[in-house]
């Protein structure tokens, strides 16, 4: 389907992944997993932030690694997951330029220096290690990653959690005054946001209810990926 519509250049990486899964046997010795490498997409006009820095052609590829502990690919059973989106082009001086994003599953008991959500998008990473200069990183207007809303208090907490070491953030969150401010902000902003998304599943299951169509449409505005 993707090949017939011209969205991908070659279905080989998908075919290889299918073959991996066909060869897997549920014997308890090897976890269920797959690796896909180099699925290339035929992207439209690149959304360069500064279009006069690079040539117009952008090569974009997707790598996927998923391992689960059970015999089915479910969210609850993930033990390892990495999604890499990487792209490259040439500068007007014919220098190689690259960009990358990756989605990580971080489930390590080891403490980290900065806040680490279990699932998180991260710009850069190993895909950029071979660049001679970080001045050759491609800057794009995409992706536009879905995120919950922030007010002034949640925005301050967002900056602290990502740019200040975790030890200081945890200490601040132990202050009852800070807790009261954040709890109130989360109650006013995040509770209705996630409840709006949650209504999608109940409304899909009960599509004949009068409010279902409205709930589904509202959830899709928050998350356009919902079918």
């Amino acid at each position: 389907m993707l090949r017939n519509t011209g969205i991908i250049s070659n279905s080989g990486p998908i075919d290889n992944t299918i073959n991996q899964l066909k060869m897997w046997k549920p014997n308890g010795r090897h976890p269920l997993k797959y690796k896909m490498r180099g699925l290339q997409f035929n992207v439209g006009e690149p959304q360069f932030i500064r279009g006069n820095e690079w040539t117009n052609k952008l090569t974009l590829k997707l790598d996927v690694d998923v391992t689960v502990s059970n015999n089915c690919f479910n969210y609850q059973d993930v033990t390892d997951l990495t999604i890499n989106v990487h792209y490259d082009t040439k500068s007007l001086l014919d220098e190689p330029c690259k960009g990358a994003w990756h989605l990580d599953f971080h489930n390590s008991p080891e403490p980290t220096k900065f806040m680490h959500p279990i699932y998180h998008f991260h710009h850069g990473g190993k895909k950029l290690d071979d660049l001679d200069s970080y001045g050759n990183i491609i800057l794009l207007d995409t992706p536009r990653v879905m995120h919950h809303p922030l007010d002034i208090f949640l925005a301050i907490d967002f900056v602290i959690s990502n740019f200040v070491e975790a030890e200081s953030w945890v200490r601040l969150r132990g202050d009852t005054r800070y807790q009261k401010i954040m709890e109130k902000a989360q109650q006013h902003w995040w509770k209705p946001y996630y409840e709006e998304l949650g209504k999608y599943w109940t409304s899909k299951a009960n599509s004949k209810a009068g409010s279902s169509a409205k709930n589904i449409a509202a959830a899709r505005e928050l998350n356009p990926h919902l079918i």
Side-chain angles (χ1 to χ4, degrees):
M1 181 170 57
L2 294 176
R3 183 176 55 191
N4 292 340
T5 55
I7 291 175
I8 61 174
S9 302
N10 189 318
S11 63
I14 295 177
D15 298 334
N16 291 338
T17 303
I18 292 171
N19 290 334
Q20 292 174 41
L21 294 173
K22 285 181 177 178
M23 294 173 63
W24 180 81
K25 293 185 172 34
N27 53 24
R29 293 197 301 267
H30 303 289
L32 177 60
K33 64 180 180 179
Y34 60 81
K35 296 188 177 201
M36 186 185 73
R37 292 290 180 272
L39 182 64
Q40 184 171 334
F41 291 79
N42 296 319
V43 297
E45 182 179 348
Q47 299 184 53
F48 295 125
I49 289 179
R50 294 183 63 179
N52 60 346
E53 298 286 335
W54 300 281
T55 63
N56 287 327
K57 185 174 181 181
L58 187 75
T59 300
L60 186 146
K61 295 181 180 180
L62 174 69
D63 302 337
V64 179
D65 290 54
V66 178
T67 304
V68 294
S69 59
N70 214 324
N71 295 342
C72 187
F73 289 103
N74 288 323
Y75 162 79
Q76 298 92 333
D77 300 319
V78 171
T79 58
D80 187 55
L81 181 148
T82 305
I83 310 293
N84 274 296
V85 179
H86 49 104
Y87 37 90
D88 61 82
T89 188
K90 291 287 187 72
S91 72
L92 296 180
L93 299 176
D94 204 38
E95 297 172 325
C97 300
K98 296 184 178 182
W101 287 81
H102 63 269
L103 175 69
D104 270 346
F105 174 72
H106 181 87
N107 196 24
S108 171
E110 297 297 321
T112 57
K113 192 171 183 179
F114 293 90
M115 182 268 296
H116 244 78
I118 291 180
Y119 287 96
H120 60 273
F121 255 116
H122 193 175
H123 179 255
K126 295 179 181 177
K127 293 292 183 180
L128 305 183
D129 284 350
D130 58 350
L131 282 177
D132 292 333
S133 168
Y134 275 8
N136 290 338
I137 292 178
I138 302 170
L139 301 178
L140 299 175
D141 274 339
T142 55
R144 296 172 179 86
V145 182
M146 171 186 164
H147 196 276
H148 47 231
L150 305 174
D151 70 348
I152 184 172
F153 305 110
L154 298 171
I156 290 171
D157 191 65
F158 171 82
V159 171
I160 294 171
S161 66
N162 281 281
F163 295 93
V164 177
E165 292 186 12
E167 183 179 347
S168 298
W169 184 53
V170 170
R171 188 164 56 247
L172 178 63
R173 287 165 62 88
D175 189 313
T176 56
R177 297 168 299 174
Y178 193 81
Q179 291 174 9
K180 288 179 181 178
I181 293 171
M182 299 313 302
E183 284 176 2
K184 189 172 183 179
Q186 292 173 9
Q187 182 79 13
H188 284 296
W189 289 82
W190 288 356
K191 183 174 182 289
Y193 173 83
Y194 285 109
E195 285 177 344
E196 196 80 57
L197 283 172
K199 289 177 185 176
Y200 173 83
W201 307 108
T202 53
S203 297
K204 286 279 282 190
N206 187 20
S207 58
K208 294 182 180 179
S211 60
S212 291
K214 181 180 178 182
N215 291 339
I216 291 171
R220 285 174 178 161
E221 287 185 357
L222 297 176
N223 183 354
H225 298 282
L226 292 172
I227 297 296

